[in-house]
């Protein structure tokens, strides 16, 4: 909304859309991963397909909205407002990511959320989730860096495939 309401020329609008595009690309990956945390591994292909299907339906709805809303400022406002409700629902209904909670040493909160997720997924031993805090040797310091990740052959292979897939999706969707 802000991009459409605060710009007075097309150059500023395009810069704003470029910045929004970067944030949206990162947001999509986070939504995909966060969504899959709440489902069993067997369901990941289905939940991923639903997310991508919603993306495609969104393109169709956006095209129809563009056909009826000819003023670009009105188009930006009317197509952005419904997401305010969605953002509020996300903050109210979804708990914190258990993986993130563990990464910042909030293990008890992660245990509670994982018990809730396991119970909702029908797992019989959901109440036995306990003690997520790993026993570590304090003399060994774990250090994660981008260069270590890129030197990992499995990660590098996945990154290459994902980059190619995103590039192909991008040029076919937007051009």
């Amino acid at each position: 909304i802000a991009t459409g309401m605060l710009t007075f020329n097309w150059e500023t609008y395009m810069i704003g859309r470029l910045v929004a595009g970067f944030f949206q690309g990162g947001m999509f990956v986070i939504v995909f991963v966060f969504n899959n945390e709440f489902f069993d591994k067997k369901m990941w292909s289905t939940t991923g397909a639903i997310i991508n299907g919603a993306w495609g339906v969104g393109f169709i709805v956006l095209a129809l909205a563009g056909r009826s809303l000819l003023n670009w400022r009105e188009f930006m406002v009317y197509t952005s407002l419904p997401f305010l409700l969605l953002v509020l629902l996300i903050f109210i209904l979804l708990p914190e990511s258990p993986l993130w909670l563990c990464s910042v040493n909030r293990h008890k909160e992660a245990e509670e959320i994982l018990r809730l997720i396991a119970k909702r997924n029908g797992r019989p031993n959901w109440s036995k989730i306990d003690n997520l805090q790993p026993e570590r040797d304090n003399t060994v310091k774990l250090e994660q860096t981008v260069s270590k990740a890129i030197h990992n052959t499995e990660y590098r292979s996945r990154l290459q495939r994902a980059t190619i897939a995103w590039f192909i999706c991008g040029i076919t969707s937007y051009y």
Side-chain angles (χ1 to χ4, degrees):
I1 294 175
T3 305
M5 299 302 289
L6 299 177
T7 59
F8 300 103
N9 57 31
W10 70 271
E11 293 94 352
T12 309
Y13 175 76
M14 292 305 289
I15 290 170
R17 291 299 294 162
L18 178 70
V19 171
F22 282 118
F23 285 115
Q24 186 214 5
M27 181 218 48
F28 185 77
V29 173
I30 291 168
V31 167
F32 186 82
V33 171
F34 188 66
N35 177 58
N36 285 335
E37 283 185 12
F38 292 99
F39 295 97
D40 191 21
K41 241 183 183 177
K42 296 174 192 169
M43 295 290 296
W44 285 5
S45 60
T46 304
T47 57
I50 290 170
I51 290 173
N52 289 317
W55 185 264
V57 170
F59 270 137
I60 294 167
V61 171
L62 197 63
L64 293 173
R67 193 167 182 195
S68 61
L69 298 169
L70 299 179
N71 182 328
W72 68 272
R73 290 179 193 267
E74 288 178 14
F75 176 79
M76 292 296 294
V77 171
Y78 290 132
T79 57
S80 299
L81 283 177
F83 292 99
L84 292 177
L85 176 64
L86 181 62
V87 169
L88 289 174
L89 286 174
I90 287 171
F91 280 112
I92 292 169
L93 297 177
L94 289 180
E96 292 282 352
S97 164
L99 293 175
W100 179 80
L101 288 171
C102 285
S103 73
V104 293
N105 293 324
R106 293 167 56 186
H107 300 285
K108 291 293 181 192
E109 294 172 66
E111 290 169 13
E112 292 172 15
I113 292 170
L114 285 172
R115 279 189 213 103
L116 175 68
I117 293 169
K119 185 178 178 182
R120 287 182 183 168
N121 284 333
R123 297 291 183 177
N125 296 328
W126 62 268
S127 60
K128 294 183 179 179
I129 295 174
D130 193 22
N131 195 16
L132 292 179
Q133 187 165 354
E135 294 181 18
R136 292 186 180 164
D137 182 6
N138 290 337
T139 60
V140 176
K141 184 176 179 180
L142 297 175
E143 185 178 324
Q144 298 294 329
T145 63
V146 174
S147 65
K148 282 186 180 181
I150 291 175
H151 289 299
N152 180 324
T153 55
E154 181 182 349
Y155 176 79
R156 190 172 56 245
S157 173
R158 289 181 181 183
L159 180 63
Q160 288 170 345
R161 289 192 307 263
T163 302
I164 291 168
W166 275 98
F167 177 75
I168 292 170
C169 289
I171 62 172
T172 56
S173 294
Y174 299 115
Y175 299 130

